[in-house]
Amino acid sequence: MIESYSFGRIVVNGKEYTSDVIIYPDHVDGSWWRKEGHRLQVVDIKKAIEEKPEILIVGTGASGLMEVPKEVESYITSRGIKLVVDTTKEACDAYNRLSKLGRTIAALHLTC
């Protein structure tokens, strides 16, 4: 459960993180970073995809500056994964709602 999110800070299951995170069903990777910073690539979420989630939520930052290229979207959805892309605040709300419905992973950019 994501308890709170504000620019550069997120609290997940009582633990605070101040860098980008990937929230898996059984743990949080608190040091997630992307090869090109503000442009998501498949390699950046390879481990998350290998976990075979039903839903993958991508938080693109407070202002939505992180880009999710169409080829990345296509790669994810071609594997039968429902993809949700939104600002990180909206992505956090979606995670709390959708994680109750099935195996859900969230990759969240906390700034920008």
Side-chain angles (χ1 to χ4, degrees):
M1 171 70 93
I2 298 172
E3 295 161 28
S4 66
Y5 163 72
S6 59
F7 188 92
R9 178 183 176 276
I10 192 167
V11 178
V12 182
N13 297 326
K15 184 170 181 188
E16 179 182 57
Y17 298 89
T18 56
S19 60
D20 295 355
V21 298
I22 297 183
I23 304 171
Y24 294 92
D26 60 349
H27 72 284
V28 176
D29 175 354
S31 61
W32 178 53
W33 193 246
R34 286 144 322 279
K35 188 174 178 178
E36 285 189 40
H38 287 108
R39 188 171 195 276
L40 188 68
Q41 296 181 31
V42 170
V43 68
D44 302 326
I45 52 172
K46 186 171 176 50
K47 184 177 177 213
I49 293 169
E50 288 171 354
E51 293 282 322
K52 298 184 175 152
E54 295 171 40
I55 305 167
L56 176 62
I57 299 169
V58 177
T60 58
S63 303
L65 293 180
M66 188 179 80
E67 176 191 356
V68 181
K70 293 289 181 203
E71 61 269 15
V72 174
E73 288 183 16
S74 296
Y75 181 86
I76 294 165
T77 58
S78 73
R79 276 143 185 79
I81 301 169
K82 176 182 165 96
L83 177 64
V84 176
V85 177
D86 212 330
T87 63
T88 299
K89 169 70 174 109
E90 295 301 320
C92 288
D93 293 343
Y95 177 82
N96 283 342
R97 189 176 62 255
L98 296 173
S99 64
K100 297 172 181 136
L101 303 177
R103 188 167 175 78
T104 304
I105 293 176
L108 306 172
H109 178 47
L110 300 186
T111 58
C112 305

